Amino acid sequence: MGAKIEQLAFIGGGAMGEAILKGVLASGLALPGDIIVSDLAKSRRQYLSERYGVKTTADNLEAVKQAQTIVLAVKPQVLKKAITGELVELIRQDALIISIIGSVELSQLEELLPHKAVVRVMPNTPLAVGAGMTAIAGGKQATAQMIEETKSIFASCGEVIEVEESQLEAITAVSGCGPGYVFVLIDALADAGVNAGLPRELAVRLAAQTFAGAGKMVVETSLPPAVLRDQVTSPGGTTIAGLHALENRGVRVAMYDAVQAVLARSEKLKGK
């Protein structure tokens, strides 16, 4: 566990912000009384306050004025409304600003937040269950200590890697959007199980745990997926028959296309 965060502010209290909040509290990186969440929705503020014991506000200025660390967790289209000149003036000079806003580059963030230390982060939704995959890239003003603090925050809810910012778009297409692909595949495998005669609840549980277990094997053994696949594939057996059907249906090509589609949409959203 890293050093405790004295004052932590969230600008935006949605699902991803909550997942990070949950991890930070569970790991002891910050105490509830040292955290403030700013969100426009009254119902959301009330929920976060009651569930986690943190302070909440509808005023971004109130949230940042004492914060040592600030997490930007708003949608890209409202970023410029959220980061006003008045807010920038209130942010401590030594504050760390962490952005989890997709498709907003460090150069854009540093233009909005001149002379401030910014770290850009690409997490994914399994943060909510402590199994996230997060990539981080530091801006020009971010110190090594700030990078380590960012790693500590996201290590509290999964795995963390430090990368060059140029890699973040591809990472978004693989791990950021990846849970969506996996949910579709789990759903499809469960449907196939129902079609084969299994009850729905059992089919979903079998499919979900199979994906979870297979992923854990790749991570913990460090063996290439192809090697692990070969270990379960006997000559002329049932698994190779299933794999043949998947290849015939273009599952591998579909993954290539999914990643490329994300990259294309990301470029369009950035106006390039």
Side-chain angles (χ1 to χ4, degrees):
M1 183 182 75
K4 284 191 181 298
I5 301 168
E6 294 175 6
Q7 295 291 332
L8 174 61
F10 288 82
I11 306 300
M16 291 300 282
E18 182 185 356
I20 300 164
L21 170 63
K22 183 178 177 182
V24 166
L25 289 172
S27 66
L29 278 173
L31 300 174
D34 295 327
I35 299 174
I36 185 167
V37 182
S38 178
D39 198 279
L40 292 177
K42 183 178 180 180
S43 60
R44 190 66 183 166
R45 295 196 304 271
Q46 185 175 348
Y47 162 76
L48 293 171
S49 178
E50 292 176 354
R51 176 74 182 272
Y52 299 103
V54 299
K55 293 174 284 188
T56 61
T57 180
D59 185 355
N60 291 342
L61 301 181
E62 182 186 351
V64 305
K65 62 185 179 182
Q66 298 296 329
Q68 171 193 336
T69 303
I70 300 165
V71 178
L72 300 179
V74 297
K75 295 185 183 300
Q77 57 266 35
V78 302
L79 176 61
K80 290 185 179 180
K81 290 183 180 179
I83 308 301
T84 62
E86 188 178 3
L87 182 136
V88 174
E89 287 296 320
L90 279 176
I91 295 174
R92 287 167 43 172
Q93 191 57 42
D94 62 344
L96 164 61
I97 302 167
I98 298 169
S99 170
I100 65 167
I101 306 169
S103 300
V104 178
E105 297 177 352
L106 282 169
S107 60
Q108 297 170 275
L109 293 165
E110 289 171 338
E111 185 176 346
L112 285 171
L113 297 151
H115 312 298
K116 306 295 183 184
V118 181
V119 176
R120 186 179 169 197
V121 176
M122 181 62 242
N124 64 9
T125 56
L127 258 71
V129 292
M133 182 69 247
T134 300
I136 69 172
K140 295 175 183 176
Q141 304 294 326
T143 65
Q145 183 178 347
M146 289 172 169
I147 295 294
E148 288 307 310
E149 180 181 328
T150 306
K151 287 180 179 178
S152 294
I153 290 171
F154 288 90
S156 72
C157 33
E159 296 292 321
V160 185
I161 53 170
E162 183 181 356
V163 300
E164 296 295 325
E165 187 186 20
S166 60
Q167 296 177 301
L168 282 180
E169 296 305 326
I171 288 170
T172 299
V174 175
S175 67
C177 301
Y181 317 152
V182 175
F183 295 143
V184 168
L185 293 172
I186 290 172
D187 192 46
L189 184 55
D191 277 350
V194 172
N195 188 57
L198 295 174
R200 166 68 61 183
E201 185 177 351
L202 175 59
V204 170
R205 184 175 179 184
L206 289 169
Q209 184 56 39
T210 297
F211 271 82
K216 190 173 183 180
M217 284 186 73
V218 173
V219 171
E220 294 192 359
T221 66
S222 297
L223 291 172
V227 171
L228 293 169
R229 178 202 62 205
D230 287 348
Q231 290 178 357
V232 74
T233 307
S234 303
T238 53
T239 302
I240 193 62
L243 291 171
H244 183 247
L246 289 174
E247 294 289 359
N248 274 344
R249 293 296 183 179
V251 169
R252 188 182 299 270
V253 174
M255 287 297 171
Y256 278 81
D257 289 348
V259 169
Q260 289 302 313
V262 170
L263 293 173
R265 179 56 60 89
S266 180
E267 289 297 304
K268 187 175 181 180
L269 290 173
K270 289 188 291 186
K272 293 185 178 181

